[in-house]
Amino acid sequence: MARFGWTLVVGAAVMAAGIGVASLRVNPYLYFAGYVILQYVVIATAWNILGGYGGYVNFGTPAFFAMGAYTSVFLILSIRAPLPVQILAGGLVAALLGLGIGYLTLRLRGVFFSIATLALSVVLQTVITNWEYVGGSRGLSVIRPSGPPFGNYVVFLFTVMVGLAVVAVIVARFIERSWIGRGLAALRDNEEAAECMGVPTLRLKLFATTVSGFLLGVAGAPFPYYVTFIEPNSAFALDYAVNALAMPMIGGTTSWVGPVIGAVLLGTAQQLATVTISSEMNLFIVGVVLVAFVVLAPEGILGLVRRLRGR
C-alpha cells in the first residue's frame, strides 16, 4: 500500500512538471512532438498489458485507437461534448470492443489471435469508411474550441496527454504488482498449467483485453483535435500496430517501465527523423531497430541490463 502511495506521489509530481513545461515559452513544435511521444507511452503501456503481461500479441491496436478517435468525432458532431467527456466515452467504447474481442477469441491463441485482431481493424475501417456522418472516406475537418488553457490548444493537448500517460503507467504498474499481474504471467508462460493451478485464465484474459482497449481508446480520443482533420487511413494507420509492438519489445515486456523506455526512445528517434530527414523514414526506423533488438537483445533493454549485471 505504501508503494502504491509513492507511485501516486511520483505520478502527481510528473503531472505538475508537465503543467510547468506547458507554461514555458518554447518552440511550439516541441509540444507537438512531445504529444506524439506521450501518446506512444500510453499506446505501448496499453498494448503491454495484454501482449507483454498476458502473452497475447494484439495487431488490432489501430482499431481500438480509431474507436477512441471516432467516438470523439461523433460526440463533437452530435452534442459538442467537451474533451474530458470525449476521452471517457472513447475509452469506454474501446473497452467494450476489447471485452467483445475477448469473448469472440476465447479459443484462439498465438498467431490465430493476432490474425483475428488484425481482421478486426480491417472490418472497422471498412465500416468507418462507409459512415458518412463521421466523414466517410473523404474525412472530416474538426474545429478546436476557442480559448484553451495555456493560450494554445496544442500545448493544452500536450498537458492532457501528460496526465493520460501518468494514469496509464500507474494502472500498468498496479496490475503488474498485484495478483492480476502474477496470473497474467502464468497465463503467458503456460495457459494449460495455469488453468490446472486454479488461475482464472478466462477472466484474466477478458480483464486484460478490456483494460488494454480502454487505454488505447483514451489515447485516440484527443486525436481529432490534435490533427484537426481526420480520415480512416490516418486513424487506422498500420504505424500504430507496428509501433505498439515495437516499443515494448525494445524496452522490455515484463515490466511497466519497459514500454515507457521504448516509447520515449522510438518516439524521439521518429520525431528527429521527421524534422531532419523525412516522415517516411518512421516505419523504416522502427523496422531496423526492431530487427536489431530481436537479434541482439530479445528481452529488450531491461533484459540486456539484467544480463550485463549477471542476474
Side-chain angles (χ1 to χ4, degrees), residues 84-300:
V85 175
Q86 297 172 33
I87 292 173
L88 180 60
L92 291 176
V93 170
L96 287 175
L97 179 65
L99 182 63
I101 286 299
Y103 270 114
L104 292 174
T105 58
L106 289 178
R107 299 184 183 280
L108 297 182
R109 297 172 186 171
V111 67
F112 299 105
F113 178 83
S114 302
I115 292 173
T117 54
L118 182 61
L120 168 71
S121 183
V122 174
V123 169
L124 288 178
Q125 183 173 0
T126 303
V127 172
I128 294 296
T129 301
N130 291 280
W131 191 10
E132 290 298 325
Y133 185 74
V134 293
S137 59
R138 293 172 300 176
L140 184 77
S141 294
V142 179
I143 300 174
R144 295 169 176 164
S146 59
F150 309 112
N152 184 303
Y153 213 86
V154 172
V155 179
F156 172 59
L157 289 177
F158 165 83
T159 312
V160 170
M161 197 52 73
V162 170
L164 296 180
V166 168
V167 171
V169 171
I170 289 175
V171 170
R173 190 177 186 276
F174 172 77
I175 291 175
E176 180 188 325
R177 303 295 173 90
S178 67
W179 67 270
I180 300 173
R182 294 189 288 275
L184 288 172
L187 180 70
R188 178 189 62 213
D189 293 339
N190 191 320
E191 190 164 343
E192 288 79 7
E195 285 181 351
C196 293
M197 294 295 291
V199 176
T201 56
L202 170 59
R203 280 187 289 169
L204 286 175
K205 181 180 174 182
L206 292 177
F207 176 82
T209 53
T210 303
V211 173
S212 178
F214 178 84
L215 293 176
L216 288 172
V218 160
F223 183 70
Y225 278 152
Y226 178 71
V227 295
T228 68
F229 180 80
I230 185 170
E231 47 89 21
N233 288 332
S234 62
F236 288 89
L238 178 64
D239 299 31
Y240 295 114
V242 178
N243 283 324
L245 172 66
M247 291 181 287
M249 291 289 292
I250 291 171
T253 59
T254 57
S255 173
W256 62 270
V257 73
V260 177
I261 294 173
V264 172
L265 291 179
L266 197 58
T268 303
Q270 288 185 338
Q271 291 304 307
L272 288 174
T274 298
V275 297
T276 57
I277 307 175
S278 166
S279 60
E280 301 299 325
M281 292 294 291
N282 285 348
L283 273 183
F284 176 77
I285 291 173
V286 174
V288 171
V289 174
L290 186 57
V291 170
F293 270 88
V294 168
V295 173
L296 303 175
E299 296 180 349

